């Protein structure tokens, strides 16, 4: 019997996951179909509940449900539980498990460009689910400091409070305005500012004069590959990284959870580049 894997979110029209996950399933000739499931908020509980049926193997969860979905599951991995953010569901015999693979995806993307966060100063723009994953990854790598700038300061405070519970080595700071951003080795944009089809494609999450020239600027946005932030960062001499590698590596970790196999990374990359 063919089984389905979904990506659940709203809206979903521009998600690249179906493209590279289906290619990875086909690479191993698995009888699996990856489908988009655009779910309205009022239907989330019912939709997630139905994933316990045997014909469903699991799902990815994306904006805006990564935080809401955790309480609808039977088990949540210790990391996802600490973070309060789930992006991967696995149906094991009618029992639904939740995981977070964004942390692994983020760290793998940093490794690929040989950036070691240990002892470094990081600035995080945004305080949503992606920012949480980034911060937990940085804590694991013993970053020296994390400064968070977010449109809604209360959400940055909430994130800071959570992070402090899990690290006594890292210094945390909430930054109220961009002109107060300290100099940094790593800047990570965890907002949708600059993302295509979002109405925010022309927007910069921080003005160029506040970008440290010898830093790595990582924009989690992956469409377009060259965001306004990355263009400006290059102009001031910073190194840059877009969100494509993280997208592939978080997907590879989800693939491993569903299938027990290592994902064919190059095949997944090819699927995106041919799109
Ligand atoms: P989220 O939980 O909804 O958080 C969005 C964050 O962006 C919040 O901090 C929000 O601030 C801020 N924000 C939203 N609109 C804004 C605006 N107009 N001006 C200023 N700040 C704004 O979303 P998420 O899951 O963290 O995702 C954030 C981004 O990361 C998305 O673009 C997503 O595609 C990307 N992402 C990429 C990967 C990857 O693998 N490359 C993985 C995960 C996420 P408030 O708190 O004030 O609302």
């Amino acid at each position: 019997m063919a089984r389905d894997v979904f990506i659940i979110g709203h809206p979903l029209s521009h998600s690249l996951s179906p493209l590279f996950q289906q290619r990875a399933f086909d690479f191993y000739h698995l009888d699996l179909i990856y489908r988009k499931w655009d779910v309205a908020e009022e239907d989330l509980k019912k939709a997630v509940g139905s994933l316990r049926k045997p014909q469903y193997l699991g799902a990815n969860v994306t904006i805006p449900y990564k935080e809401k979905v955790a309480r609808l599951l039977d088990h949540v991995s210790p990391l996802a539980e600490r973070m309060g953010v789930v992006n991967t569901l696995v149906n094991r015999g009618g029992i639904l498990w939740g995981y977070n693979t964004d942390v692994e995806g983020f760290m793998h993307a940093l490794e690929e460009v040989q950036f070691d966060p240990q002892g470094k100063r990081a600035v995080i723009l945004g305080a949503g689910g992606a920012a949480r994953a980034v911060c937990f990854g940085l804590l694991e790598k013993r970053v020296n400091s994390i400064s968070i700038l977010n449109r809604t300061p209360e959400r940055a405070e909430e994130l800071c409070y959570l992070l402090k519970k899990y690290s006594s080595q890292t210094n945390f700071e909430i930054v109220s305005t961009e002109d107060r951003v300290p100099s940094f080795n790593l800047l990570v944009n965890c907002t949708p500012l600059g993302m295509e089809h979002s109405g925010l494609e022309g927007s910069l999450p921080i003005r160029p004069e506040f970008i440290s020239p010898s830093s790595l600027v990582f924009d989690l946005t992956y469409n377009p590959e060259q965001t306004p932030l990355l263009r400006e960062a290059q102009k001031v001499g910073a190194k840059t990284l877009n969100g494509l590698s993280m997208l592939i590596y978080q997907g590879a970790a989800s693939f491993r959870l569903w299938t027990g196999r290592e994902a064919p990374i190059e095949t997944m990359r090819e699927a995106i580049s041919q799109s």
Side-chain angles (χ1 to χ4, degrees):
M1 173 182 71
R3 298 183 81 192
D4 292 330
V5 178
F6 294 98
I7 177 159
I8 292 178
H10 179 77
L12 278 182
S13 47
H14 303 292
S15 170
L16 294 175
S17 295
L19 205 67
F20 67 80
Q21 291 290 8
Q22 188 62 54
R23 193 70 77 83
F25 293 156
D26 295 347
F27 177 86
Y28 284 114
H29 306 289
L30 301 171
D31 205 1
L32 295 173
I33 301 164
Y34 194 95
R35 299 179 191 281
K36 285 184 188 175
W37 193 356
D38 194 323
V39 175
E41 176 139 20
E42 60 273 22
D43 299 328
L44 182 67
K45 190 173 174 191
K46 199 169 159 209
V48 169
S50 72
L51 291 175
R52 292 185 177 87
K53 292 181 188 167
Q55 64 265 40
Y56 302 141
L57 176 58
N60 279 131
V61 181
T62 187
I63 293 177
Y65 302 131
K66 287 186 186 182
E67 287 163 67
K68 293 185 182 105
V69 84
R71 62 187 143 77
L72 304 175
L73 308 176
D74 304 308
H75 294 287
V76 176
S77 76
L79 174 65
E81 175 91 55
R82 283 201 294 276
M83 294 170 60
V85 185
V86 165
N87 77 333
T88 304
L89 310 183
V90 186
N91 175 19
R92 296 198 179 102
I95 308 288
L96 274 187
W97 288 76
Y99 299 87
N100 189 295
T101 66
D102 281 336
V103 178
E104 183 178 328
F106 170 70
M107 295 205 295
H108 220 121
L110 280 187
E111 269 167 35
E112 206 174 56
V113 295
Q114 284 150 15
F115 183 92
D116 180 2
Q118 184 168 1
K120 304 281 191 344
R121 297 181 308 277
V123 168
I124 308 301
L125 307 175
R132 273 190 200 206
V134 164
C135 288
F136 271 82
L138 292 175
L139 287 194
E140 205 175 306
K141 292 285 179 188
R142 291 196 267 156
V143 71
N144 174 274
S145 66
I146 295 180
S147 306
I148 303 169
L149 172 64
N150 192 46
R151 177 178 63 178
T152 310
E154 294 76 22
R155 213 164 169 205
E157 277 162 29
E158 218 177 281
L159 175 55
C160 225
Y161 178 78
L162 177 73
L163 294 170
K164 280 180 183 165
K165 282 205 248 175
Y166 297 105
S167 174
S168 53
Q169 296 170 347
T170 300
N171 300 304
F172 299 102
E173 174 192 28
I174 294 161
V175 184
S176 52
T177 51
E178 57 186 347
D179 55 329
R180 294 181 179 236
V181 165
S183 74
F184 51 79
N185 310 107
L186 174 68
L187 175 83
V188 190
N189 176 31
C190 306
T191 77
L193 294 168
M195 195 165 98
E196 253 173 14
H197 311 294
S198 65
L200 303 166
E201 38 275 75
S203 307
L204 277 170
I206 187 167
R207 272 183 285 160
E209 61 262 42
F210 302 119
I211 299 176
S212 301
S214 56
S215 62
L216 173 67
V217 174
F218 188 168
D219 196 337
L220 297 200
T221 303
Y222 43 81
N223 45 1
E225 288 180 30
Q226 193 68 318
T227 63
L229 172 65
L230 296 184
R231 270 196 296 275
E232 293 303 327
Q234 278 161 12
K235 282 189 204 158
V236 304
K239 292 197 185 99
T240 58
L241 182 61
N242 70 31
L244 267 176
S245 290
M246 174 171 169
L247 180 75
I248 298 268
Y249 285 121
Q250 61 77 32
S254 301
F255 180 91
R256 199 188 312 121
L257 286 164
W258 296 319
T259 66
R261 297 174 191 237
E262 285 308 318
I265 297 285
E266 286 318 311
T267 302
M268 291 161 104
R269 270 194 218 278
E270 255 172 51
I272 290 183
S273 66
Q274 289 164 357
S275 69

